[in-house]
Amino acid sequence: MSNLRVIDIIPGTSVDGPGLRTSIYFAGCAHKCPGCHNPQSWDPEAGHDMSVDEIMQVVEYNGFDVTFTGGDPLYQAGKLIPLATELRKRGYSIWCYSGFTYEKALQMPDMAELLSHCDVMVDGPFMEALRDVHLQFRGSSNQRLVDLKRSSADEIVEWKQEFSGW
């Protein structure tokens, strides 16, 4: 099993999905969106190598659900599948941010397999002209919160936060 290229792991964040989450920032992004909030993540050699076991130790220590972000984690999709598999086996929810659209990712076997382990994909490139600070969990209005468990290539279902009441 090969290592993943990780820039940082931030436990306890509340901006990359619902509740407190452990966000894992993966290196590498060829989208290079103008206005990107994290351009230092574009370099695929940024950060350091981490094994699935090392990442799992951080996740388990903190106990929060997980968000894959970056960079664009789908550039490491094949290497991420074992991590996603282990996270699911242990009951963690997984969100995945990507500049790829859901439709495009489904055309790439490794990306499609990785997404089969995830709950939500925040898809599409950040578009500075469509920036909206009032959107939940995304930066521009072209991006979608794709409910991966309810979506298919034929029908995309947007994720909606369920309110369980007081």
Side-chain angles (χ1 to χ4, degrees):
M1 200 178 315
S2 55
N3 286 334
L4 293 153
R5 198 73 187 169
V6 176
I7 295 170
D8 203 358
I9 300 177
I10 308 293
T13 182
S14 61
V15 298
D16 295 327
L20 294 177
R21 306 185 72 80
T22 296
S23 287
I24 306 169
Y25 289 80
F26 293 98
C29 185
H31 303 295
K32 299 186 177 178
C33 303
C36 174
H37 77 285
N38 204 7
Q40 65 274 20
S41 68
W42 297 351
D43 180 358
E45 299 302 317
H48 56 280
D49 285 336
M50 288 185 76
S51 68
V52 168
D53 289 341
E54 290 170 324
I55 294 170
M56 285 305 303
Q57 286 176 11
V58 176
V59 170
E60 290 276 277
Y61 177 80
N62 292 291
F64 304 125
D65 286 327
V66 175
T67 298
F68 296 159
T69 189
D72 189 330
L74 293 190
Y75 283 105
Q76 296 188 58
K79 293 179 181 182
L80 264 168
I81 293 167
L83 175 61
T85 301
E86 187 62 28
L87 287 165
R88 294 306 294 192
K89 189 165 58 172
R90 297 189 195 190
Y92 290 98
S93 162
I94 305 169
W95 277 44
C96 184
Y97 281 76
S98 178
F100 290 99
T101 62
Y102 174 64
E103 295 86 349
K104 184 70 174 172
L106 288 182
Q107 296 173 11
M108 312 289 189
D110 283 350
M111 291 182 189
E113 184 177 344
L114 174 62
L115 292 177
S116 75
H117 297 284
C118 298
D119 298 290
V120 173
M121 177 186 190
V122 182
D123 83 332
F126 171 74
M127 299 179 92
E128 200 165 20
L130 300 176
R131 182 177 181 258
D132 185 342
V133 298
H134 299 99
L135 293 171
Q136 188 178 37
F137 307 131
R138 58 201 187 277
S140 59
S141 61
N142 64 297
Q143 296 172 312
R144 302 173 295 184
L145 303 175
V146 179
D147 185 329
L148 296 170
K149 300 302 178 201
R150 296 171 55 207
S151 294
S152 68
D154 299 324
E155 180 186 8
I156 294 173
V157 177
E158 294 237 7
W159 176 87
K160 302 280 188 225
Q161 188 159 23
E162 295 178 20
F163 181 69
S164 59
W166 300 106

